[in-house]
Amino acid sequence: MPRMTMIEAIRSAMDVSMGRDDDVVVFGEDVGYFGGVFRCTQGLQQKYGRSRCFDAPISELGIVGAAIGMASYGLKPCIEIQFADYVYPAYDQIVSEAARLRYRSNGEFTCPIVIRMPTGGGIFGGQTHSQSPEALFTHVSGLKVVVPSNPLDAKGLLIASIEDPDPVIFLEPKRLYNGPFDGHHDRPVTAWSKHELGEVPEGHFTVPLGKAEIRRPGSAVTVLAYGTMVYVAQAAAEETGIDAEVIDLRTLLPLDVETIVASVKKTRRCVVVHEATLTSGFGAELVSLVQENCFYHLEAPVARVTGWDTPYPHAQEWDYFPGPKRVGEALIETMEA
Amino acid sequence: MTDNPAPLKFHVPEPEVRPGGTPDFSNVPIPKAGSVDRPPVDVDPRTIRDLAYSIIRVLNREGDAVGPWAGTLTDEEQLEGLRHMMTLRTFDARMQMAQRQGKTSFYMQHMGEEAVSCAFRKALVQGDMNFPTYRQAGLLIAGGYPMVDMMNQIYSNEMDPLKGRQLPIMYSAKDHGFFSISGNLTTQYIQAVGWAMASAIKGDTKIAVGWVGDGATAESDFHAALVFASTYRAPVVLNVVNNQWAISTFQGIARGGSGTFAARGLGFGIPALRVDGNDYLAVHAVAKWAAERARSNLGPTLVEYVTYRVGAHSTSDDPSAYRPKTESDAWPLGDPVIRLKNHLIRRGLWSDERHKQTEAEILEAVISAQKEAESHGTLHAGGKPSTRDMFEGVYAEMPPHLRRQRQKAGV
């Protein structure tokens, strides 16, 4: 089986989808001729032509708004916002329009669009190339929110998202584009070619939305994570020797509550980790769900390890990023509680 | 630089007249009917920049149709157009009253703007898609959409096509080329451009139409729509209905120092026309011209309809708080219904008697539709959509968390 980076897997997903369905169109800033600032759309314009893959003006609301119009015509736009940090000008179109079109028109008009956007920190991206805005989308009825953590899932989830009849926010952790990252920034980075999840089938396959995956089976504590934090959590488990069960949520909305609840009922402890800021972050929803569903099984308070409630800083990158040390401390505290 | 510069002054535009003042539109230049040239649709846009600053008019003060824009409609079509406008006006009056009677929560009238949407609709063909605001119900009336269905939506009753989920008048009628209305202003303008881009991508022959009011042109979506329409030469007609008022705010607040709203298109390389919005024949002629341009792969056109919002903004508004009560009487472009009526009478195609008789017929038809709609319930009485409907349609398939919430709600 071929080895792919996450970038190649994402590109392959769009290639496969465009090849199978003429209604799939791809556009965004620098997405056409140049192939994207992260190379995710390289070669697609050459292969499918300018009417299927094209450059857009620098207008996030324009990109999303036009895609909604296209979707209401019957196309399946898979569009790109260059950085998740720049999605806010399109927020009205996403929340008020894409998410509600099916509901408010009683199904007359639908919005099968995918909005891809690189997300997350750990790359010295500073305030506007590092944010994790997933909670701003998981709060919106009508959206689906997906965060892959490896090339295999990235391709399968993206194809599933493109084929999904509802609007999908597809957040790509750019720190994982070229290889897994466990937060040890002082160590050399490994490439996806050395990782089993870098093995990705060439052709069509899907990974279903709404299904979590257990990355590290364990019995002592459940760690709920997604994106880059999956690898940080795994590293923290190995380094502390705590037999943590690491769950990669993959889809945040709709959420795989069953897998979460079954795991926490087994381990009786839970730690939630994400890069995004703490207050009203997606972790709060996870903690609340665990509390509601597993109260009588819990032997310790549910802990959260997240980014601090500050804008994402530049020089203080590794004091901000919730690395394996901080996650490990939370695991120890939760085991000792 | 001077040593003692004068203090800077902050400028906030104000309308000429406020409540208690005498309405005065003498500063609004109204070109003579028939005085504006009609260029070919493939004209070089750079040569018709003056059309963004004038007003295309067909019906003159005497009620004659004059000039190069006249003659796009048959006698029968003109008579039908009059009937559409009269129907919309009667529909409005009855629904306004129904709101006052507590049968629904909200309504918005079209008084004075009937020609814009009614005449425009007749320049489109089946399959074209409008992206309207909340003040273009004439597209539905003139397109033959059943009044009963409109009323069912307004009443949120058991036959409401939108299952009670939407505020009254936020219609959706795909088969009638009427995109789902959103409460968020101008969002649909860029969506219209996207729809038109899709039609071009697929090699279709259908065109899209975006609609916006004068006030909502200030939204960022307006700018995005013009950029995208211009960049991709999208087959779209971009309509700006300038009725002078955005709730209490006069159009100068949105327009700023720009001469006209039409002129906004010029900076984007989009040909722009300005038309008498109270002249049914002129609206149709301009709509036909712009639609033909779009359909011929010549790209977008921006059209400003100069009209006046005679009624209150909505049933929740009282215009006497911010403009003279008799301002609409002074409006120099008159009443669209009366102007077309006078034209048809002058040509011997119509009479006061037939007008009165038709008014009575229309009233009867509207009341009959209203009775039927009310038999299916009104907002607070009779049949209503089920609570189950509230949970449906958020997604194509109901996800587990919504299924749990629906069970919790006991439905």
Side-chain angles (χ1 to χ4, degrees), chain A:
Chain A
M1 204 180 291
R3 298 273 173 171
M4 295 185 192
T5 65
M6 199 189 247
I7 290 168
E8 289 161 345
I10 286 163
R11 186 193 305 152
S12 175
M14 285 185 272
D15 188 0
V16 165
S17 300
M18 291 173 89
R20 283 166 61 93
D21 186 347
D22 287 345
D23 290 337
V24 176
V25 293
V26 169
F27 65 99
E29 296 157 19
D30 304 298
V31 159
Y33 182 84
F34 179 56
V37 295
F38 290 105
R39 319 312 299 153
C40 287
T41 55
Q42 192 172 29
L44 295 179
Q45 183 177 79
Q46 208 172 9
K47 185 166 176 184
Y48 296 99
R50 281 202 299 273
S51 65
R52 299 282 306 283
C53 176
F54 52 91
D55 291 314
I58 304 175
S59 169
E60 288 76 15
L61 101 76
I63 291 166
V64 175
I68 293 168
M70 290 180 182
S72 72
Y73 174 93
L75 298 190
K76 299 194 124 212
C78 177
I79 56 175
E80 179 180 302
I81 301 293
Q82 205 157 75
F83 287 88
D85 314 61
Y86 301 133
V87 72
Y88 310 120
Y91 199 59
D92 187 32
Q93 287 287 345
I94 295 171
V95 175
S96 312
E97 304 293 320
R100 296 198 204 141
L101 189 54
R102 177 190 296 278
Y103 189 73
R104 74 167 197 240
S105 71
N106 192 27
E108 271 199 333
F109 297 94
T110 60
C111 192
I113 66 174
V114 179
I115 309 177
R116 293 179 41 240
M117 50 186 118
T119 187
I123 57 147
F124 282 93
Q127 295 188 23
T128 56
H129 299 78
S130 308
Q131 295 168 34
S132 299
E134 60 271 14
L136 296 175
F137 299 108
T138 54
H139 190 59
V140 180
S141 316
L143 296 180
K144 292 181 177 173
V145 180
V146 176
V147 191
S149 69
N150 60 73
L152 182 68
D153 278 358
K155 179 169 176 183
L157 287 167
L158 182 52
I159 295 175
S161 298
I162 291 170
E163 292 173 0
D164 195 274
D166 294 308
V168 180
I169 305 294
F170 196 86
L171 293 153
E172 301 166 1
K174 55 189 164 300
R175 178 68 232 207
L176 301 180
Y177 268 159
N178 291 305
F181 178 67
D182 61 9
H184 285 293
H185 52 92
D186 45 350
R187 297 179 191 167
V189 181
T190 54
W192 280 118
S193 57
K194 305 231 163 42
H195 196 283
E196 57 175 8
L197 294 171
E199 272 192 20
V200 183
E202 290 278 11
H204 178 270
F205 72 95
T206 59
V207 171
L209 305 189
K211 293 274 176 255
E213 180 79 8
I214 296 171
R215 293 291 169 206
R216 184 196 188 282
S219 57
V221 52
T222 298
V223 181
L224 303 180
Y226 48 92
T228 308
M229 300 313 289
V230 169
Y231 303 97
V232 176
Q234 282 175 295
E238 303 310 326
E239 287 159 23
T240 55
I242 293 170
D243 186 24
E245 178 150 289
V246 177
I247 299 181
D248 179 355
L249 298 176
R250 301 200 291 194
T251 303
L252 307 188
L253 181 65
L255 187 65
D256 186 352
V257 179
E258 263 176 42
T259 298
I260 296 169
V261 169
S263 175
V264 176
K265 282 187 175 171
K266 180 180 74 177
T267 63
R268 308 174 85 87
R269 294 168 199 270
C270 182
V271 174
V272 172
V273 294
H274 59 59
E275 288 182 60
T277 50
L278 177 74
T279 301
S280 301
F282 189 62
E285 181 63 28
L286 293 170
V287 171
S288 181
L289 276 166
V290 168
Q291 189 273 139
E292 282 164 24
N293 290 282
C294 310
F295 183 77
Y296 295 105
H297 292 78
L298 285 174
E299 289 180 17
V302 183
R304 278 186 286 172
V305 188
T306 71
W308 308 116
D309 280 341
T310 70
Y312 205 112
H314 186 245
Q316 303 91 336
E317 175 88 85
W318 305 118
D319 301 315
Y320 181 93
F321 184 90
K325 186 163 168 287
R326 273 175 61 203
V327 176
E329 284 164 6
L331 290 179
I332 293 166
E333 262 177 52
T334 302
M335 291 311 295
E336 288 173 352

Side-chain angles (χ1 to χ4, degrees), chain B residues 37 63 71 185 232 261 281 312 400:
Chain B
D37 283 344
L185 296 180
Y232 301 110
F261 289 100
L281 303 183

